[in-house]
Amino acid sequence: MPKYSPMKPNPASPAARASARKRSDRSATPPSTVGRALRPFGYLLVAIVWTVLAAVTLALPAALTVGLASSNGDFTTRGFFAGSDLVVTVLFLVFAAVVLVPLLGYAFVALPLASVPLAALAWTYVVRSLSPGYAGERLSSTGWSRNAIGPVTLLPTAMSLLPVRVTPWTAFWVRLMFLGWQPNRGVLLAGIPYGLASFLLAGWLLWPVGPVAAVVWTVITVALVVLTVLLVVRAARGQVSGRRAPRAAAGS
């Protein structure tokens, strides 16, 4: 899993180190009877919130097409380009290719990566909170990472819903979560074809194109989405190999 600290580091403060040790020890202590009774409802509420946020982030690429279509019922991309000056059209296409596609593509990929895994983890804890096999242990904890995106602060960013009992299932979702929360060149590269697919989808749907052209553009759009998925998988694998490399170097 991605590297994070189970306690907030503050070496200049002995009191903070003491409280951090207590926070770290807390995950090893069994929950109280009241905590076991209430945590299914707490995790359910968290799961619903993150599921809604995940649905919103997944729907963001469609907002471009819906927004253009709903702003003007007669709007077509063919009419937009036909009625624009050639220089303005070229400048817009260059700006879209250099700025909008990478920026929006990164947002379209990073935001779901930051929200969908948290929804999956929260629902996992809902199920575990109802299982007798997990009754005597805590389900999740909070860690801190200096590499994660968070509020403007001098302290590390808090990352919640980290599993206390790590399984391949929870490790998979934590790995994806950190891809969304930690700025990563691999995710940026993965967002470029997805951003391009979003712009092309809006373009040919609102052109509108004929049946044959629609099939061709559908294949191109799907291919770009598949490329994004492959690049995300590559980024996740690079995240794992990046953590193993220092250990191998230390062993040699």
Side-chain angles (χ1 to χ4, degrees):
M1 291 197 308
K3 184 179 180 180
Y4 61 88
S5 173
M7 59 185 72
K8 183 178 294 187
N10 187 1
S13 172
R17 288 201 301 268
S19 64
R21 285 195 296 271
K22 294 176 183 177
R23 186 184 301 113
S24 178
D25 296 340
R26 181 176 180 272
S27 62
T29 60
S32 64
T33 304
V34 176
R36 289 197 300 268
L38 294 180
R39 67 183 182 180
F41 302 100
Y43 281 121
L44 178 61
L45 178 60
V46 173
I48 292 174
V49 171
W50 278 113
T51 299
V52 172
L53 292 175
V56 171
T57 59
L58 288 172
L60 283 177
L64 178 63
T65 304
V66 174
L68 289 174
S70 60
S71 61
N72 184 357
D74 298 327
F75 174 83
T76 62
T77 49
R78 177 189 297 176
F80 172 78
F81 285 110
S84 300
D85 183 79
L86 179 61
V87 176
V88 175
T89 301
V90 172
L91 290 176
F92 170 76
L93 292 177
V94 171
F95 177 75
V98 175
V99 178
L100 294 181
V101 167
L103 183 62
L104 292 180
Y106 177 80
F108 291 160
V109 172
L111 290 177
L113 285 174
S115 56
V116 174
L118 285 170
L121 287 170
W123 284 111
T124 299
Y125 302 143
V126 170
V127 175
R128 288 184 175 183
S129 66
L130 299 174
S131 172
Y134 290 87
E137 62 185 79
R138 297 188 183 274
L139 303 180
S140 65
S141 64
T142 298
W144 283 263
S145 172
R146 293 188 179 276
N147 298 321
I149 297 175
V152 179
T153 176
L154 298 176
L155 299 176
T157 299
M159 302 296 297
S160 300
L161 296 180
L162 298 171
V164 173
R165 186 193 297 192
V166 180
T167 61
W169 170 261
T170 56
F172 168 77
W173 289 111
V174 170
R175 191 176 299 120
L176 289 183
M177 177 186 71
F178 271 81
L179 279 179
W181 285 97
Q182 292 181 341
N184 187 297
R185 184 177 63 179
V187 177
L188 176 62
L189 293 177
I192 293 176
Y194 198 53
L196 182 59
S198 301
F199 274 87
L200 292 179
L201 180 65
W204 67 263
L205 280 180
L206 299 176
W207 188 268
V209 299
V212 176
V215 172
V216 173
W217 282 112
T218 299
V219 172
I220 294 174
T221 303
V222 172
L224 290 171
V225 174
V226 171
L227 178 59
T228 292
V229 173
L230 294 177
L231 290 174
V232 169
V233 172
R234 179 183 177 184
R237 290 178 176 176
Q239 189 183 62
V240 175
S241 61
R243 293 196 308 276
R244 292 176 178 173
R247 296 179 183 177
S252 62

